[in-house]
Amino acid sequence: ALCKPLDEAFSLWKKLLEHPGVPRVRSPEQSLSSLQLLAALYRLQHKPIQALESFLLLLSLCRRLGDRSGAANALCQISRVLLQLGSPAQAQV
């Protein structure tokens, strides 16, 4: 029950980012922060797969916005989750 709002937010972000191009959002910076927070909350809930998927959405948005440092940070977080899941080969790629 506690994860239902997170799952709904994830679903909305996934739907928003399923189309190519930069999504129409009021504040790109706030959108990036929202996705980072979503992924962090999933990690705190011990839901690494959902955290991984959230970080992948964050990476997609960072790339679309041309935010290279944000993309690098998202990649680091993705690697971290993959290592925690015991997938060092995928983390290395």
Side-chain angles (χ1 to χ4, degrees):
L2 293 175
C3 286
K4 187 176 179 183
L6 290 178
D7 294 338
E8 289 174 4
F10 175 79
S11 178
L12 291 171
W13 277 114
K14 190 173 180 179
K15 188 175 181 177
L16 182 66
L17 295 172
E18 69 186 8
H19 304 291
V22 177
R24 292 183 149 189
V25 292
R26 279 190 235 164
S27 169
E29 294 83 14
Q30 225 174 16
S31 297
L32 294 172
S33 295
S34 294
L35 277 170
Q36 288 172 334
L37 183 60
L38 180 67
L41 288 171
Y42 272 130
R43 287 182 74 189
L44 288 172
Q45 293 286 329
H46 302 287
K47 296 190 172 259
I49 300 300
Q50 290 87 343
L52 180 63
E53 290 175 334
S54 298
F55 282 124
L56 287 169
L57 289 178
L58 176 62
L59 175 62
S60 174
L61 184 56
C62 286
R63 286 180 171 166
R64 293 175 194 199
L65 294 173
D67 181 0
R68 292 180 185 197
S69 64
N73 181 48
L75 286 169
C76 288
Q77 296 300 325
I78 289 167
S79 296
R80 189 179 198 183
V81 173
L82 287 170
L83 289 171
Q84 289 173 343
L85 289 171
S87 301
Q90 284 80 9
Q92 204 170 27
V93 173

